[in-house]
Amino acid sequence: KGSGYLLYRIVDRLVDYCIPIVNKIIENMERVEDDIFDENARQTVREISVLRRDIISTRRVIWPLRAVLGTLGRKIEHFTKEDLEAYWGDLLDHADKIRDNLDECKEVVEGLNDTNNSLYSHRTNEVMRILTILATILLPLSVLSGIYGMNVPLPLQGSPYSFAIVIVLMVCIIGGMLLFFRRRHWI
């Protein structure tokens, strides 16, 4: 059909080669979207980072493609007698579709990153809450054991039941604090 059509077919193959790449990015994005609510947050952060890198590098290739195709479509008219405007318009549509898909992927990955950060922050807050409750419960026990561990005369120290009394006192402190935390809905 001529050299203009041959050039169109070559460029069409090159543009069509980008479609499976974008489809693979979308497939990986859907997999990460399913994995984001798992407990393996470090792996999810890595996968999101890899997806962002893939999208950025593919966008870097695709972004100038529309301008190149538009210019090439206009310049080819000088070298061929065939009317290839519809073909080059089809290529521009494919390039626009690929670019739109990549833009959508970029937005979705940014949303996934925000969601992952929120979930990771929530998990960290839960761990900090548990550690704070444990530290708050152990603080009075440490003070009580520190006071009764000193070598000075204290009340109940001479009694044969002093150890049992201190243990019962510690258990009462733990029970009282747990009851207080439960009523405040902290645990």
Side-chain angles (χ1 to χ4, degrees):
K1 288 190 173 182
S3 61
Y5 185 76
L6 177 63
L7 178 62
Y8 158 75
R9 292 294 295 168
I10 292 171
V11 174
D12 185 45
R13 287 279 176 109
L14 291 173
V15 171
D16 287 345
Y17 181 76
C18 296
I19 293 174
I21 295 171
V22 173
N23 289 341
K24 184 66 176 173
I25 289 173
I26 292 172
E27 180 182 311
N28 290 341
M29 188 175 56
E30 290 171 354
R31 184 179 41 79
V32 169
E33 193 172 344
D34 292 338
D35 292 344
I36 201 165
F37 294 103
D38 289 346
E39 294 298 320
N40 193 1
R42 288 186 182 177
Q43 185 65 25
T44 306
V45 169
R46 185 180 189 292
E47 290 174 356
I48 289 173
S49 298
V50 168
L51 268 175
R52 289 175 100 173
R53 181 200 64 201
D54 291 346
I55 289 171
I56 288 169
S57 63
T58 307
R59 284 182 78 203
R60 191 176 301 136
V61 170
I62 296 298
W63 198 256
L65 186 63
R66 188 182 197 314
V68 170
L69 290 177
T71 304
L72 195 57
R74 285 190 305 271
K75 299 260 183 188
I76 198 77
E77 294 173 358
H78 300 294
F79 300 104
T80 183
K81 296 175 185 171
E82 304 165 24
D83 185 22
L84 299 174
E85 186 176 336
Y87 294 119
W88 289 101
D90 184 49
L91 280 178
L92 287 173
D93 289 343
H94 284 174
D96 286 342
K97 180 181 176 188
I98 291 170
R99 194 165 76 176
D100 291 343
N101 282 343
L102 285 173
D103 287 342
E104 182 181 330
C105 288
K106 180 181 179 263
E107 290 177 16
V108 170
V109 166
E110 287 173 357
L112 288 175
N113 190 37
D114 291 342
T115 302
N116 189 50
N117 287 341
S118 296
L119 289 172
Y120 200 66
S121 175
H122 179 70
R123 290 178 193 135
T124 303
N125 288 339
E126 286 295 314
V127 169
M128 290 303 294
R129 185 177 64 90
I130 297 297
L131 291 176
T132 302
I133 289 171
L134 285 174
T136 305
I137 290 173
L138 292 176
L139 179 68
L141 302 180
S142 298
V143 169
L144 187 63
S145 65
I147 290 173
Y148 275 96
M150 296 182 346
N151 290 331
V152 294
L154 296 170
L156 302 172
Q157 206 169 22
S159 169
Y161 301 111
S162 63
F163 181 73
I165 292 171
V166 170
I167 295 296
V168 168
L169 185 60
M170 286 181 171
V171 169
C172 288
I173 290 172
I174 291 173
M177 292 183 84
L178 287 175
L179 183 65
F180 176 75
F181 292 155
R182 175 84 56 200
R183 284 192 179 166
R184 292 281 185 147
H185 301 289
W186 291 348
I187 57 171

